[in-house]
Amino acid sequence: MKRVFSGVKPTGHLTLGNYLGAMRQWADVDQHRADALFCVVDLHALTVDHDPARVRRLSRQAATLLLAAGLDPSRCTLFVQSHVDEHARLSYVLECVATDGEMRRMIQYREKAARERARGGSVRLSLLTYPVLMAADILAYGADEVPVGDDQAQHVELTRDLAVRFNQRYGPTFVVPRATVPSVAARVMNLQDPASKMGKSDDSGPGIVYLLDEPDVIRRKVGRAVTDSGREVVYDPEGRPGVANLLEILAACSGGDPVELAGAYPSYGALKKDTAEAVVEVLRPVQERHRELCADPGHVEGVLREGAERARGMARPTVDAAYGAIGLLPSDSHTGTPR
């Protein structure tokens, strides 16, 4: 059975884009076809200025929503990144294999660093090196596949490069993974800016549907979505990105085809109405299950504790092997006592 690893960063409330582009695929497909690990990658949330209490709150909320979306602890491993020391252990070793040039070529680093400088802030070193931590997240578990949005594909390519380089220099240690990008709704766009992804870290709330938005809030946001010039409803991602985004969301929620759906609507208003209702219905069971899980926080904590123990058992042999391969003395149970 193939092994799959993917994660979600607790830098904001999870969105419809997270659900349609990743979480639903994880629950409906990946956990049933593979040995699957899903992680709340909280260490990645520390690469920018943050409120510690908010990171903890969003980490717990993300884990709860992943369970609410259908992840089954009996079928997959769900855990929090910082609960498994092997991520940080392996990250430093991989930093000793990566190059400065590789890090500075990362598109997300250049974009985020530019935004941070524009607002007068300082760029943290961890923002530069976090793709190496992401590589450690993946390589520690011998993952064969990494389901990601297309904006993260470059990081998986870096992971592949580091795995190959390490294996060539120090001996076969890591599985070389590949990225898998969902074919439907892999990148849901912002309702107010269809040229931008619907990101959970974005400040433009009116363009983002959050998983815990009330139905009336969802209807209002979709109803105010930016459309395009002209009145005919056609699927044209290049020429009419606003309408195309609505059609893709409707298709992802209803199981239809954007091109075929376009022909069924005489106006933008009718399209918006049906899209809003489709989103409300898709999120209804997730919200109901989330309320049930929030009423039993001990259950979620138990799932994360057991998941971390399982993940630790999977990662430690690979990380220990990497330590030995690169030239570090082995120790007993990481106490520092040489063997």
Side-chain angles (χ1 to χ4, degrees), residues 28-47:
D28 292 351
V29 179
D30 292 332
Q31 70 173 344
H32 300 283
R33 69 175 181 86
D35 181 10
L37 297 101
F38 301 109
C39 182
V40 179
V41 287
D42 54 345
L43 294 175
H44 291 294
L46 310 185
T47 59

Side-chain angles (χ1 to χ4, degrees), residues 16-72:
L16 178 67
N18 296 125
Y19 181 71
L20 295 180
M23 295 164 63
R24 188 171 63 174
Q25 167 90 9
W26 298 350
D28 292 351
V29 179
D30 292 332
Q31 70 173 344
H32 300 283
R33 69 175 181 86
D35 181 10
L37 297 101
F38 301 109
C39 182
V40 179
V41 287
D42 54 345
L43 294 175
H44 291 294
L46 310 185
T47 59
V48 294
D49 191 31
H50 63 277
D51 174 7
R54 186 170 187 265
V55 171
R56 285 191 291 270
R57 185 170 64 252
L58 290 175
S59 296
R60 187 174 294 107
Q61 183 186 88
T64 305
L65 280 168
L66 288 170
L67 290 171
L71 291 190
D72 182 349

Side-chain angles (χ1 to χ4, degrees), residues 243-289:
V243 173
N245 188 36
L246 291 172
L247 288 167
E248 288 175 357
I249 292 171
L250 177 59
C253 291
S254 65
D257 176 82
V259 177
E260 295 177 0
L261 287 169
Y265 290 96
S267 68
Y268 292 162
L271 171 62
K272 288 181 176 181
K273 183 176 183 299
D274 280 6
T275 301
E277 293 306 318
V279 172
V280 167
E281 290 307 311
V282 157
L283 296 186
R284 189 185 305 279
V286 177
Q287 294 179 351
E288 290 175 352
R289 179 59 177 151

Side-chain angles (χ1 to χ4, degrees), residues 196-251:
S196 302
K197 186 180 72 168
M198 187 182 285
K200 59 182 177 296
S201 302
D202 199 327
D203 294 329
S204 56
I208 303 171
V209 174
Y210 296 104
L211 295 189
L212 297 179
D213 276 348
E214 295 290 337
D216 285 346
V217 173
I218 295 172
R219 294 184 183 101
R220 184 166 62 250
K221 287 180 177 180
V222 176
R224 295 175 179 174
V226 169
T227 49
D228 311 288
S229 59
R231 296 186 178 183
E232 186 180 4
V233 178
V234 295
Y235 182 65
D236 179 7
E238 293 295 327
R240 298 186 179 181
V243 173
N245 188 36
L246 291 172
L247 288 167
E248 288 175 357
I249 292 171
L250 177 59

